[in-house]
């Protein structure tokens, strides 16, 4: 009975997504987007749904939202080649340097081979195997050399990789949905340090109630921006409603 | 390569040559000009990619030349962008005669093009505006009473002494003379600091009566624009005028004829300078976010070339901003619509100097494409400028533009780049990758996230069980080695019991001491010896520990016997006696313990 119910849900979902593809093909992007967003509310970790939704936004001319959705898909799975190329294209169009031309493509592929979530999981697995090897040694007085050293090595490698990834723009990204001012403190009475254009990817450093601290490493700018002007991409509760919020 | 192939390549090259050709022409508005009038020279350049061209004007010895305007026009036909730029110059002849305007070069960045030579005939001045060569007798008499500075002078004036950045200031430089001038004077314009200048031709000439004196005057005007807030300066302008020496001829003089003709050649150069002028340039009030950079007074219009295009087809939206002010500095207004993609914005401008006011029209052509089928309404396009008349920022808006986009033609795309050879693969456009029609399930990612989230809990559980296991293991080990532990701790247990006995009364004290000795040997021998006599105990000790000396055992037996004896005579036992006995006992047990370890 349970199996039958699950099968029905899957069937309904695939029918809906087929409808979304059809609408996209007919250039009815808004209608197609509505279906993808409805699906995303149920499957929050599906990079392909984010990718398709981003395409709809792009076709509708909402580049900042398209960029946010491509980045979200990239964070979940950085190996989707279509997503990577679209992300590169739109970042160029919006004046964001997410992928530097000076760094070889292969290096980027290695650096972004796994998602943050996958690296985190590997660190945990390495730690568990390290604890197991220690347990064997303490309880059975038997030193499992191979298991111990490989676990230590893996823990070091994955932890370093994770620490390196913390410097990436995709670690805590946010995007400006309007042209906005950056202040030197968390209210409008502070000095305006810079005016930041729409669709600019920034790093979210601290999230406050009304203002958030952001950084733009390329320009060496750090300051506070009103929360209503930025879209937090990595937020657990990703705001599926579009940029009309303010 | 066969002949047909060669002809084909030749044809393609010819077509490309024709397409890329730049046409340069020059003309004048009149070919016969009186010396006291000016004429206009226009140079026209048309072709592709010529937005940055500028004529290379040579030095004219026979004319004074001033740039009087520039206008450009852009036309897009079948995706080919053609630009026409016209440069206008005002030329003022210096002398009479036949002259030639030489070839003028124009460099497009790739090639240099030349205009044709133009012949100009400069004739004697027209009668209406003659110089004061001929004077009435009364004026001649009056002029003789005046100094030369009063008869010939130059004056520079501005229409305002304070102006905002970008606001026009009109400078007028007037040359007055009541003396006959041999030829057109040489004019050296002033230098400007913190000001941009634009000539306002033509030079006006005429007569003016000041204090009863009739002067011939020539006036040149310049439009100036403040660059930065603060002081701006106009230095002195210089005019060098060759005047005829005024001599009275006596017609009865025998040398009258010679004198009269030599008079024409006898001239003297007089240098005149205007006074320097200082102007205060004011900063504009804080601008609104959408300020376009325009300072003046403008109006805006917008039109579309095709209001019913197919989705994906290119359309041209033309926005024209006209009026007086700094037309050149105007930035294109924003057009934002989610259903419309703007590919490029082309700009052209026409400058005007009507009534000595700089202005013109700036035309922005937005090349756009409707993204999908349906009705698109572009709200009024806004343009914000600083109105120089009201001294306030003003926002003007066009009428809304309505586009009814029809269903797109499948597979059609548009290309504005026509520079590539036809034999190459031509990229027709660029777009994002298509969507994933079949979307894989997100189970893998959900699982990874769940495992990553619970793996910390798993680690804690494993560590908990590890600690539990280690403590159980330790307990089991300690249970397994109990006799050994007792053996190890035998002496410390003995010492503890002896110390405890000190606080007890004599009866209990003796029995505790006795018990301590027997427990010590039970732990050391791993046997219960409490029921045995000390003689038998001695044998077992000797058997298990041959290293123990018989003297030590005998000494211990002696102490035990003494304890047993004391136990019988409890009442006569003194504390001192028991104390010395205990000391002896401790010493001997310590000795035996050491011997046992050997």
């Amino acid at each position: 009975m349970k199996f039958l119910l699950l099968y029905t849900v899957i069937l309904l979902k695939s029918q809906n997504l087929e409808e979304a593809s059809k609408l996209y093909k007919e250039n009815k992007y808004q209608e197609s987007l509505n279906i993808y967003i409805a699906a995303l509310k149920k499957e929050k970790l599906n990079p392909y749904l984010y990718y398709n939704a981003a395409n709809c936004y792009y076709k509708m001319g909402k580049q900042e939202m398209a960029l946010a959705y491509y980045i979200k898909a990239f964070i979940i799975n950085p190996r989707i080649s279509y997503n990577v190329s679209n992300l590169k294209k739109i970042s160029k169009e919006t004046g964001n340097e997410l992928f530097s031309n000076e760094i070889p493509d292969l290096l980027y592929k290695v650096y972004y081979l796994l998602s943050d979530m996958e690296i985190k999981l590997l660190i945990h697995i390495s730690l568990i195997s390290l604890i197991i090897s220690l347990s064997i040694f303490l309880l059975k007085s038997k030193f499992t050399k191979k298991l111990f050293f490989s676990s230590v090595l893996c823990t070091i490698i994955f932890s370093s990789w994770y620490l390196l990834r913390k410097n990436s723009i995709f670690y805590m990204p946010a995007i400006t949905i309007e042209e906005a001012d950056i202040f030197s403190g968390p209210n409008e009475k502070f000095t305006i340090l810079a005016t930041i254009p729409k669709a600019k990817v920034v790093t979210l450093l601290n999230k406050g109630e009304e203002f958030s601290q952001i950084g733009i490493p390329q320009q060496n700018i750090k300051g506070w921006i009103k929360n209503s002007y930025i879209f937090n991409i990595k937020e657990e509760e990703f705001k599926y409603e579009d940029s009309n919020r303010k | 390569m066969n002949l047909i192939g060669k002809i084909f390549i030749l044809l393609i090259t010819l077509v490309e040559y024709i397409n890329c050709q730049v046409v340069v022409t020059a003309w004048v508005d009149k070919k016969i000009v009186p010396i006291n009038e000016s004429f206009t020279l226009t140079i026209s350049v048309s072709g592709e990619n010529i937005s940055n061209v500028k004529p290379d004007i040579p030095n004219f010895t026979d004319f004074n030349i001033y740039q009087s305007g520039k206008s450009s026009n852009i036309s897009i036909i079948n995706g080919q962008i053609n630009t026409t730029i016209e440069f206008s110059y005002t030329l003022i002849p210096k002398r009479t005669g036949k002259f030639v305007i030489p070839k003028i070069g124009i460099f497009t960045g790739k090639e240099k093009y030349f205009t044709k030579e133009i012949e100009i005939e400069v004739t004697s001045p027209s009668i209406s505006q003659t110089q004061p060569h001929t004077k009435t007798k009364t004026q001649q008499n009056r002029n003789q009473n005046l100094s030369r500075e009063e008869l010939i002078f130059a004056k520079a004036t501005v229409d305002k002494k304070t102006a905002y950045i970008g606001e026009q200031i009109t400078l007028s430089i007037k040359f007055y003379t009541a003396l006959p001038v041999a030829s057109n004077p040489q004019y050296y314009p002033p230098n400007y600091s913190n000001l941009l200048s634009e000539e306002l031709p033509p030079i006006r000439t005429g007569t003016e009566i000041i204090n009863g004196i009739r002067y011939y005057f020539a006036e040149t005007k310049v439009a100036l624009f403040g660059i930065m807030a603060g002081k701006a300066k106009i230095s002195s302008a210089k005019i060098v005028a060759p005047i005829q020496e005024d001599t009275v001829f006596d017609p009865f003089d025998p040398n009258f004829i010679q004198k009269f003709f030599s008079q024409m050649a006898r001239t003297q150069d007089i240098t005149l300078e205007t006074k320097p002028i200082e102007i205060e340039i004011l900063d504009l009030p804080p601008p609104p976010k959408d300020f376009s950079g325009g300072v003046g007074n403008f109006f805006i219009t917008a039109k579309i070339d095709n209001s019913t295009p197919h989705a994906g087809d290119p359309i041209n939206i033309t926005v024209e901003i006209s009026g007086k002010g700094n037309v050149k500095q105007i930035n294109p207004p924003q057009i934002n619509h989610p259903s419309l993609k703007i590919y490029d914005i082309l700009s052209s401008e026409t400058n005007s100097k009507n009534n000595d006011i700089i202005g013109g029209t700036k035309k922005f052509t937005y090349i756009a494409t409707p993204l999908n089928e349906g009705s698109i309404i572009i709200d009024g396009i806004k343009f914000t400028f600083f109105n120089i008349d009201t001294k306030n920022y003003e926002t003007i808006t066009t009428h809304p533009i309505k586009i009814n986009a029809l269903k797109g033609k499948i597979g059609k795309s548009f290309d504005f780049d026509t520079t590539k050879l036809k034999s190459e693969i031509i990229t027709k456009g660029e777009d994002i990758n298509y969507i994933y029609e079949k979307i894989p399930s997100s189970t893998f990612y959900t699982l990874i996230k769940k495992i990553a989230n619970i793996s910390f809990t798993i680690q804690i559980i494993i560590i908990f069980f590890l600690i539990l296991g280690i403590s159980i293991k330790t307990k089991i080990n300690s249970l397994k080695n109990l006799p050994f532990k007792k053996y190890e701790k035998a002496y410390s247990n003995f010492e503890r019991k002896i110390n405890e006995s000190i606080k007890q009364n004599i009866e209990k004290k003796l029995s505790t001491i006795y018990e301590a000795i027997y427990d010590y040997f039970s732990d050391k021998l791993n046997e219960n010896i409490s029921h045995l006599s000390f003689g038998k105990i001695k044998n077992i000790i000797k058997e298990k520990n041959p290293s123990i000396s018989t003297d030590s055992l005998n000494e211990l037996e002696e102490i035990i016997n003494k304890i047993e004896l004391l136990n019988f005579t409890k009442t006569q036992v003194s504390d001192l006696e028991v104390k010395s006995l205990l000391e002896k006992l401790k010493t001997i047990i310590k000795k035996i313990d050491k011997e046992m370890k050997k």
Side-chain angles (χ1 to χ4, degrees), chain B residues 278-420:
Chain B
E278 212 168 73
I279 296 165
E280 181 75 31
I281 305 295
L282 307 172
D283 207 353
L284 294 177
K289 261 188 183 177
D290 54 352
F291 176 51
S292 62
V295 177
N297 202 346
F298 304 97
F299 61 92
I300 188 168
T301 56
K303 61 181 180 191
I304 186 165
D305 67 338
N306 181 9
S307 58
T308 54
H310 289 274
D313 276 0
I315 50 168
N316 296 330
I317 302 165
T318 309
V319 176
E320 275 189 12
I321 298 160
S322 308
K324 63 170 183 182
N326 60 345
V327 175
K328 284 180 189 172
Q329 272 82 47
I330 293 173
N331 295 317
Q334 290 273 316
I335 298 182
N336 286 322
H337 197 284
S339 300
L340 205 65
K341 183 164 180 158
I342 308 284
Y343 285 96
D344 204 358
I345 305 169
L346 306 170
S347 72
S348 61
E349 64 193 46
T350 308
N351 299 320
S352 69
K353 295 172 180 179
N354 298 336
N355 300 323
D356 295 334
I357 291 166
I358 299 280
T361 302
K362 189 135 187 181
K363 193 160 93 176
F364 295 104
T365 307
Y366 297 75
I367 300 166
T369 295
L371 293 172
N372 33 45
E373 186 190 346
S375 173
I376 300 166
I377 295 169
I378 305 166
D379 294 335
I381 300 159
K382 285 180 182 170
F383 171 69
T384 302
F385 64 96
F386 183 73
N387 190 329
I388 213 69
D389 296 330
T390 60
K391 314 287 182 210
N392 275 319
Y393 288 99
E394 207 172 281
T395 301
I396 51 174
T397 316
T398 65
H399 289 293
I401 299 171
K402 197 177 174 189
I403 302 164
N404 187 22
L406 308 172
K407 196 178 178 184
K409 291 173 190 167
I410 296 161
K412 194 186 173 188
S413 64
F414 203 83
D415 180 30
F416 295 101
D417 187 3
T418 53
T419 56
K420 293 182 183 74

Side-chain angles (χ1 to χ4, degrees), chain A residues 25 29 43 46 51-52 55 58-60 77 80 82 85-86 89 121 124 131 135 138-139 141 236, chain B residues 338 341 371-372 430-437 439-440 442 445 449 451 455 459 462 466 469 473:
Chain A
K25 222 180 259 178
Y29 304 118
E43 274 190 79
N46 195 326
Y51 168 82
N52 284 2
N55 268 21
Y58 184 85
K59 290 286 179 189
M60 285 158 64
N77 183 352
I80 303 172
Y82 270 21
S85 69
N86 281 6
K89 182 178 156 48
L121 178 71
H124 285 303
I131 294 167
S135 309
L138 291 169
L139 292 171
S141 304
E236 281 299 303
Chain B
K341 183 164 180 158
L371 293 172
N372 33 45
E430 213 180 279
D431 201 4
I432 48 168
N433 292 311
Y434 195 65
I435 53 163
Y436 282 91
E437 287 193 347
I439 294 175
S442 63
Y445 307 101
K449 197 172 183 193
I451 296 171
S455 57
Q459 284 170 44
I462 292 175
L466 178 68
K473 194 187 169 189

Side-chain angles (χ1 to χ4, degrees), chain B residues 493-507:
Chain B
N493 283 340
F494 165 79
E495 216 170 21
R496 185 174 47 80
K497 281 175 186 167
I498 294 295
N499 290 339
E500 273 173 21
S501 71
I502 295 168
K503 295 166 191 168
Q504 293 168 344
N505 60 28
I506 194 70
E507 276 178 39

Side-chain angles (χ1 to χ4, degrees), chain A residues 28-39:
Chain A
K28 291 176 182 167
Y29 304 118
Q30 182 63 63
E31 289 91 331
S32 175
L33 176 71
N34 291 343
I35 298 175
Y36 287 128
I37 284 181

Side-chain angles (χ1 to χ4, degrees), chain B residues 239-298:
Chain B
I239 295 156
V240 179
I243 59 154
Q244 288 173 9
E245 283 186 2
D246 209 2
T247 322
V248 179
F249 302 113
D250 180 4
F252 304 101
D253 189 336
N255 297 322
F256 169 76
I257 300 293
Q258 289 88 336
K259 274 186 180 176
F260 181 80
F261 285 105
S262 64
Q263 168 71 23
M264 302 305 288
R266 215 179 298 152
T267 60
Q268 189 190 353
D269 279 350
I270 289 188
T271 305
L272 307 165
E273 280 193 12
T274 61
K275 283 178 186 166
I277 301 171
E278 212 168 73
I279 296 165
E280 181 75 31
I281 305 295
L282 307 172
D283 207 353
L284 294 177
K289 261 188 183 177
D290 54 352
F291 176 51
S292 62
V295 177
N297 202 346
F298 304 97

